[in-house]
Amino acid sequence: ALHLRRQLFLTAAICFVLALVNGLLLPGPKNAPIDKIFKVPGAAWLLFGFGITFAPFFEEMIFRGFLLPALCTAYDWIQEKTKHIPMRPLDENGQPQWSFPAMIVGSIFTSLPFAALHAAQTGYSWGPFVLLVGVSLVLCWARLSTRSLAASVLVHASYNFLLFSLMMLGTGGFRHMDKM
């Protein structure tokens, strides 16, 4: 993932631009639960640190490290058993080679619970949910196209960094949270 860091950061930047557009077209509620947390002194800095370190790492481990490969494998296994499609051989590194439909279905069914995990923070509004499904699909693409969990962690952490940085700039270093 490190040798692809420029492309991965650009991917995060594209997601960031999509977040800005999404915020204009499908804005979330004005007083979402996550906004209330930001009102507590020092909480914004803690969330900034957590949002670019632990959250991306653990969310990627669960969703793109475990759930996505499991769903892709399950989809191909079901196709093999029901349609008598021959089993796909492992690649030269001993890794599974999932079918394109398996990767699409796995990505969708990984992205829905990922977005649902964040729904309470955003007041269960549609705009942020749609955005998070889209961001998750991009994270799935990063994971599947590079065969590296580190790639999706890097994109996720960079995306969160860009979001928090914009918030930090817009609020004078989290000092004027009323400007959010």
Side-chain angles (χ1 to χ4, degrees):
L2 285 179
H3 72 280
L4 295 172
R5 66 186 173 275
R6 286 187 186 99
Q7 293 94 325
L8 295 173
F9 187 76
L10 178 62
T11 301
I14 291 168
C15 287
F16 174 71
V17 170
L18 290 175
L20 296 176
V21 171
N22 178 271
L24 293 173
L25 299 177
L26 298 169
K30 292 287 181 209
N31 207 7
I34 192 78
D35 296 335
K36 293 174 188 166
I37 295 170
F38 278 109
K39 304 288 185 205
V40 176
W45 286 106
L46 288 173
L47 286 173
F48 183 92
F50 181 76
I52 63 170
T53 56
F54 294 111
F57 177 77
F58 287 109
E59 289 176 1
E60 292 308 305
M61 289 288 287
I62 293 165
F63 290 99
R64 261 74 52 193
F66 172 72
L67 187 59
L68 178 61
L71 290 171
C72 290
T73 300
Y75 181 91
D76 277 344
W77 181 82
I78 290 168
Q79 294 300 308
E80 291 167 12
K81 298 302 177 194
T82 60
K83 296 185 179 174
H84 306 293
I85 297 171
M87 186 171 70
R88 299 171 71 90
L90 300 177
D91 69 10
E92 64 275 358
N93 297 320
Q95 300 293 319
Q97 296 187 74
W98 298 300
S99 66
F100 189 68
M103 291 187 285
I104 290 172
V105 169
S107 295
I108 291 168
F109 283 101
T110 297
S111 297
L112 292 172
F114 176 80
L117 172 74
H118 297 85
Q121 300 167 357
T122 60
Y124 300 97
S125 56
W126 279 105
F129 183 82
V130 169
L131 172 67
L132 287 165
V133 168
V135 168
S136 180
L137 289 170
V138 170
L139 295 170
C140 290
W141 167 81
R143 164 71 166 95
L144 292 169
S145 66
T146 63
R147 306 290 286 185
S148 170
L149 187 59
S152 62
V153 171
L154 185 60
V155 172
H156 192 155
S158 298
Y159 170 72
N160 286 358
F161 175 79
L162 291 169
L163 289 176
F164 278 104
S165 295
L166 178 66
M167 186 184 307
M168 183 176 62
L169 290 171
T171 60
F174 300 126
R175 288 188 305 269
H176 306 287
M177 296 305 287
D178 54 315
K179 294 183 180 180
M180 269 184 38

